[in-house]
Amino acid sequence: MDYEKFKEELVNEVERQAGEEYQVSLQKVKKNNGISKNAVSISRKGRKVAPVIYIDSFYEKYQQGVSIVHLAASMLQHFQDLEESMLPVNMDFYSEYENVRENIYCKLINIGMNREILREIPYRTYLDLAVVYYYLMDMSDDGNATILINQKQLELWDLTGEELDRQAWENTVADLPASLRPMSEILHEYLDAPETEIKSPPLPMYVLTNEKKIFGAICIRYPGILKKLAEKLGGDFYILPSSVHECILVPVAGSASRDVLKEMVIDINLTQVEPQEILANQVYMYSRALDQIMF
């Protein structure tokens, strides 16, 4: 069975197993950087908020021999787990601004790769990037989920873009403090090996993100942070946008050329970063004397 037929059969089987009190539909979900993913939406009738479950991993299991009946049952179980963790949101919770204002944050995305979605959401430009806004939902044992805030949501909340920006920045800086760590330290933890066995990066590199390590590239926009980092690193530095979640900082003194670093960023984006998590094929430079980023 090909992928298109599989999607249809899976939705029909989920609908059959779920029963009449549920609504089941196939959706194409827009992700960052123009990426779209097929998903199944399952909701109790009358509910305004419904989780979506992406299909691709289920198709992989089908190709490995798992039946559609078992896959549908597994998807329904996953939905029930999500529904339980989302319970506070389902009762019109999200439609009231006062309920969500403390969990609204900022993140950076690429303007050129997201022109279509930027028509539908509030944003502020920064370099060749856009500061956009999202609601961070605590999913308990399942980690965190985010909801991108769009123009319709602002209208529902009777909120201006300026008010949204002010609240989101207040939350972001207060709740998601920046974290700067040497790349060698990160590798040590990731590889779970003694530091003496880890080959250091060819250049001094530092990873800038936030303490949750989610959409941490926004840290380069924190008030006054780049000036403080320049003092810590001893001068001007390059900013390599390794993903929407983090940036790599490389001191200019003794570094490779900017062109070489840009080639590195492009290669990493092509081979190691999920398409929807790419931030930019660019290298920025922070000038300590000018106290600004140049690109």
Side-chain angles (χ1 to χ4, degrees), residues 20 26 29 38 53 61 69 75 112 131 157 185 193 272 293:
E20 294 183 357
L26 182 65
V29 180
N38 292 299
I53 302 172
K61 292 178 181 178
V69 172
M75 182 171 281
V131 178
W157 292 337
E185 188 177 299
Q272 299 182 39
I293 290 179

Side-chain angles (χ1 to χ4, degrees), residues 93 96-105 134-136 157 167-168 170-172 174-176:
F93 181 88
E96 297 293 332
Y97 176 61
E98 289 303 317
N99 292 337
V100 301
R101 65 183 300 168
E102 293 184 357
N103 291 307
I104 292 173
Y105 300 95
Y134 65 96
Y135 173 75
L136 181 62
W157 292 337
Q167 182 66 60
E170 181 180 320
N171 296 342
T172 303
D175 298 346
L176 303 174

